[in-house]
């Protein structure tokens, strides 16, 4: 299924045996890879494939004293390989529906750590994934995506849509707030259209925004405008206006970030 997702957008994909290890058990009986993480990953092999613009799908070569095939913690492997390659994104595909209730959710490192500790309301698997994702983001990874590996085209839907279909943990903060440009005007009008129709925001036209474009700021994530705010200032006071965050990005703290930014401009 992974290969189908990647080849669907024209990528060259090959199965590669680039991870080796031996059986071992911790105090709880969980099976894991022995030795230093970096020693288990053939970094040179993977980098050569990537340099050749090929996507390596990593397979595991393992051995033990009984010459059997032990089970490995694939979650650990995903994070170990990603950190070894100094990846800016790690995508973990699950083989169950443990994240069914988290579709489209995104959390900061702080939020992920807090949720991981709430074991009473989360499954052990989700708590563990959130904890490891937060740890990876604290080290060097920008984002971790956890997806339902049984869903068709899950990777494409997660990476190439604004909403996403899985669970994402990101560094603090995620996305950038910048001053709006001429090319952003149509996108600003597009995202606030629904709020204007519902009388939540005052109507605005291109000419209105262009006449005071320097007052407008946008929150941009992966090249997509997901929120906007304007600060109209005079000698006497400053007015916050046109505050809006896309519906499918609500609840992630983006509105507060825009307000904080606006207050900083107004001071």
């Amino acid at each position: 299924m992974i290969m189908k997702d990647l080849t669907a957008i024209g990528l060259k994909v090959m199965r590669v045996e680039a991870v080796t290890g031996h059986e071992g058990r911790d105090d709880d009986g969980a099976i894991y890879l022995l030795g230093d993480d970096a020693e288990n990953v053939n970094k040179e092999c993977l980098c050569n494939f990537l340099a050749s613009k090929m996507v390596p799908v990593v397979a595991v070569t393992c051995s033990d004293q009984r010459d059997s095939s032990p089970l490995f913690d694939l979650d650990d492997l995903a994070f170990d390989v990603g950190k070894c390659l100094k990846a800016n994104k790690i995508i973990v595909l699950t083989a169950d529906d443990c994240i069914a209730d988290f579709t489209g959710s995104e959390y900061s490192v702080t939020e992920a750590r807090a949720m991981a500790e709430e074991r009473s309301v989360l499954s052990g698997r989700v708590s563990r994934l959130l904890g490891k994702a937060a740890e990876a983001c604290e080290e060097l990874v920008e984002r971790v995506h956890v997806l339902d590996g049984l869903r068709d085209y899950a990777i494409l839907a997660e990476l190439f849509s604004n909403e996403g279909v899985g669970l994402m943990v990101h560094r603090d903060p995620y996305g950038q707030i910048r001053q709006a440009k001429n090319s952003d005007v149509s996108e600003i009008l597009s995202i606030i259209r629904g709020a204007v129709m519902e009388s939540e925001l005052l109507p605005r036209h291109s000419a209105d925004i262009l006449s005071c474009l320097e007052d407008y700021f946008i929150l941009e994530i992966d090249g997509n405008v997901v929120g906007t705010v304007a600060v109209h200032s005079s000698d006497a006071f400053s007015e916050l206006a046109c505050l809006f965050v896309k519906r499918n990005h609500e609840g992630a703290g983006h509105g507060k970030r825009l307000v904080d930014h606006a207050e900083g401009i107004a001071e």
Side-chain angles (χ1 to χ4, degrees), residues 119-136:
R119 296 182 180 273
S120 60
V121 296
L122 295 176
S123 71
R125 177 87 187 282
V126 173
S127 294
R128 190 164 181 274
L129 285 169
L130 283 169
K132 293 189 74 65
E135 178 184 324

Side-chain angles (χ1 to χ4, degrees), residues 16-67:
V16 181
E17 292 185 352
V19 177
T20 58
H22 304 280
E23 185 182 27
R25 295 178 183 273
D26 60 19
D27 294 337
D28 296 325
I31 300 175
Y32 64 100
L33 288 176
L34 291 177
D36 182 75
D37 294 340
E39 294 178 355
N40 295 320
V41 181
N42 189 334
K43 182 178 178 180
E44 182 179 359
C45 171
L46 295 175
C47 287
N48 286 339
F49 273 93
L50 294 172
S52 301
K53 297 184 178 180
M54 296 189 68
V55 178
V57 175
V58 178
V60 181
T61 300
C62 51
S63 62
D64 65 7
Q65 295 179 349
R66 300 184 305 277
D67 194 28

Side-chain angles (χ1 to χ4, degrees), residues 67-78:
D67 194 28
S68 61
S69 297
L71 296 173
F72 287 90
D73 189 319
L74 297 182
D75 293 341
D76 279 347
L77 279 179

Side-chain angles (χ1 to χ4, degrees), residues 7-206:
T7 55
I9 56 173
L11 294 176
K12 296 179 180 179
V13 185
M14 180 171 288
R15 185 176 184 273
V16 181
E17 292 185 352
V19 177
T20 58
H22 304 280
E23 185 182 27
R25 295 178 183 273
D26 60 19
D27 294 337
D28 296 325
I31 300 175
Y32 64 100
L33 288 176
L34 291 177
D36 182 75
D37 294 340
E39 294 178 355
N40 295 320
V41 181
N42 189 334
K43 182 178 178 180
E44 182 179 359
C45 171
L46 295 175
C47 287
N48 286 339
F49 273 93
L50 294 172
S52 301
K53 297 184 178 180
M54 296 189 68
V55 178
V57 175
V58 178
V60 181
T61 300
C62 51
S63 62
D64 65 7
Q65 295 179 349
R66 300 184 305 277
D67 194 28
S68 61
S69 297
L71 296 173
F72 287 90
D73 189 319
L74 297 182
D75 293 341
D76 279 347
L77 279 179
F79 286 101
D80 289 348
V81 172
K83 289 188 287 187
C84 181
L85 292 177
K86 298 182 179 179
N88 61 2
K89 294 180 186 177
I90 293 178
I91 300 175
V92 180
L93 300 179
T94 68
D96 53 42
D97 61 352
C98 68
I99 63 163
D101 295 332
F102 298 90
T103 299
S105 300
E106 59 182 66
Y107 305 100
S108 67
V109 170
T110 303
E111 292 168 336
R113 282 208 175 280
M115 289 187 65
E117 294 173 0
E118 291 293 328
R119 296 182 180 273
S120 60
V121 296
L122 295 176
S123 71
R125 177 87 187 282
V126 173
S127 294
R128 190 164 181 274
L129 285 169
L130 283 169
K132 293 189 74 65
E135 178 184 324
C137 289
E138 285 180 330
E139 292 186 22
L140 51 87
V141 177
E142 291 183 6
R143 299 203 295 277
V144 174
H145 302 261
V146 182
L147 311 179
D148 179 357
L150 302 179
R151 174 173 177 161
D152 288 339
Y153 304 111
I155 295 177
L156 303 185
E158 175 72 6
L159 299 182
F160 296 102
S161 69
N162 288 336
E163 297 82 3
V165 297
L167 179 157
M168 181 178 72
V169 176
H170 57 79
R171 282 186 184 179
D172 303 323
Y174 176 53
Q176 64 166 336
I177 297 175
R178 62 170 176 81
Q179 193 165 43
K181 301 179 293 188
N182 286 10
S183 57
D184 298 317
V185 174
S186 60
E187 186 65 22
I188 292 173
L189 291 171
S190 175
I191 68 172
I192 69 172
R193 183 177 296 118
V196 170
M197 293 178 64
E198 295 174 9
S199 300
E200 295 176 354
L201 289 176
L202 293 174
R204 287 171 174 80
H205 303 285
S206 296

